[in-house]
Amino acid sequence: MKLNKAIAVYFSPTGNSRKCALATAGVIGRNIEEIDLTKEGSFDEDMKFDINDFIVFAAPVYGGRLFKGFAQMLHNMNGNYAKCIGIVTFGNRDYDDALLEMKNLLIDSHFIPLGFGAVVGRHTYGHIQVDRPNNADLENCRVLAKGLLDKIEKGVFTIPEVKGNFPYKDGGNGGSFYPQTDDKCKMCGLCAESCPQGAISFDDFKTIDTEKCISCFRCIRICPFGAKNVTTKEYLDFAEMFSKKLSEPKEDELFV
Ligand SMILES: Cc1cc2nc3c(=O)[nH]c(=O)nc-3n(C[C@H](O)[C@H](O)[C@H](O)COP(=O)(O)O)c2cc1C
Ligand code: SF4
Ligand code: SF4
């Protein structure tokens, strides 16, 4: 069968899932269409997929689940039976039920998921696997894509089993470490523009609505001047403890 084009669809506040989506989609087609669902308001209800498109979905694990906002977007899509790969990236703790949740959502939204990956990426908090996804992780993404192309070539359209339990564990919410802004802030507004939750005030860029903030740390990573950070003792103690606890590298897992 002939595949039309490769589309990378991702929610990726700190960029790990985007890297994995692009590495995977790159094997399938040269001209990759990117649908970045990270920015607030980027979801388009009328998004259309063709049965001959090949889609790569990628998103982070939040508390062993998909982030609720992204799960809702998947729920609202109509895949028109396009074939796809589902990838979750996790910060070297565990992906628990997130991949199973992604698989079930993709099937319910009329996609045909032929392969799945759980790939380690730098954890949002502390200093955990800071160079991942590295070349070996991205190579695993490519291996996954090749496995899929092989399946399609052979006319094998089985949907693989993945690790995870249903009912799912509680999770999918954000964290509760809210960034502060110091005097290095130049008021450029980049952080407010890119916050997935619209939680940063466009009036002063220093005020964060803690009801909306999910502690994704996108604003911290994106600020060119290093003006946003979490410096509370509570966070620093947690980050130190967590970084020690998760210092042993985990392996990626592929399901084809
Ligand atoms: C609120 C929150 C919860 C998280 N929960 C988990 C988790 O349960 N297991 C894990 O291994 N990593 C967890 N992480 C780390 C992210 O899954 C990981 O860093 C991911 O690769 C980030 O993807 P992105 O760069 O595409 O945003 C969490 C991160 C955040 C912000
Ligand atoms: S990105 Fe940084 S410098 Fe720009 S407004 Fe936000 S905190 Fe200030
Ligand atoms: S304000 Fe909160 S939700 Fe917005 S980018 Fe920063 S950490 Fe993420």
Side-chain angles (χ1 to χ4, degrees):
M1 75 171 293
K2 177 124 181 61
L3 293 172
N4 256 356
K5 59 179 172 192
I7 308 176
V9 180
Y10 54 82
F11 174 79
S12 186
T14 58
N16 299 337
S17 308
R18 175 176 186 262
K19 281 183 198 161
C20 293
L22 293 182
T24 311
V27 172
I28 292 150
R30 280 230 187 111
N31 299 320
I32 307 166
E33 185 182 323
E34 277 187 61
I35 300 181
D36 181 357
L37 298 175
T38 316
K39 209 174 144 184
E40 201 208 10
S42 55
F43 181 73
D44 175 3
E45 293 271 347
D46 298 325
M47 205 180 287
K48 294 245 179 336
F49 298 101
D50 184 275
I51 192 165
N52 291 320
D53 286 342
F54 196 99
I55 333 273
V56 181
F57 289 93
V61 174
Y62 279 5
R65 296 278 302 275
L66 291 180
F67 167 53
K68 283 186 173 142
F70 179 71
Q72 188 61 45
M73 292 186 235
L74 281 188
H75 175 76
N76 290 341
M77 287 180 193
N78 183 349
N80 194 27
Y81 302 106
K83 285 146 203 85
C84 70
I85 290 179
I87 295 173
V88 295
T89 67
F90 67 107
N92 203 49
R93 186 193 66 75
D94 203 326
Y95 59 93
D96 298 307
D97 302 332
L99 201 55
L100 179 63
E101 183 181 14
M102 185 182 259
K103 170 181 166 172
N104 290 338
L105 280 163
L106 289 171
I107 294 172
D108 288 348
S109 294
H110 310 299
F111 291 95
I112 304 180
L114 295 176
F116 299 94
V119 181
V120 177
R122 174 185 177 177
H123 202 293
T124 314
Y125 308 138
H127 293 276
I128 302 160
Q129 299 297 301
V130 290
D131 65 339
R132 295 179 76 181
N134 56 23
N135 286 339
D137 298 311
L138 298 180
E139 190 49 34
N140 281 336
C141 293
R142 292 183 200 104
V143 167
L144 180 62
K146 283 175 193 152
L148 266 282
L149 288 180
D150 193 41
K151 260 177 102 166
I152 292 173
E153 176 96 19
K154 291 182 178 140
V156 177
F157 299 109
T158 46
I159 299 174
E161 294 298 315
V162 298
K163 196 190 93 180
N165 293 302
F166 185 83
Y168 310 128
K169 65 173 287 195
D170 279 340
N173 304 303
S176 49
F177 301 118
Y178 306 115
Q180 299 108 2
T181 313
D182 65 29
D183 7 336
K184 293 195 286 299
C185 175
K186 306 252 191 255
M187 299 291 189
C188 70
L190 254 183
C191 54
E193 259 173 45
S194 55
C195 171
Q197 293 292 103
I200 302 176
S201 165
F202 275 90
D203 292 330
D204 67 0
F205 308 122
K206 291 188 178 180
T207 306
I208 288 180
D209 183 340
T210 55
E211 292 288 310
K212 290 184 178 171
C213 176
I214 54 170
S215 307
C216 70
F217 282 22
R218 184 169 175 83
C219 53
I220 294 178
R221 301 278 177 85
I222 216 166
C223 174
F225 308 102
K228 278 210 182 334
N229 265 305
V230 181
T231 51
T232 56
K233 184 169 170 1
E234 184 205 4
Y235 171 71
L236 295 174
D237 287 351
F238 168 78
E240 192 186 334
M241 176 280 292
F242 207 44
S243 303
K244 275 189 199 142
K245 195 173 161 192
L246 299 182
S247 59
E248 202 54 43
K250 298 235 162 97
E251 300 279 331
D252 305 328
E253 291 178 43
L254 308 181
F255 305 86
V256 186

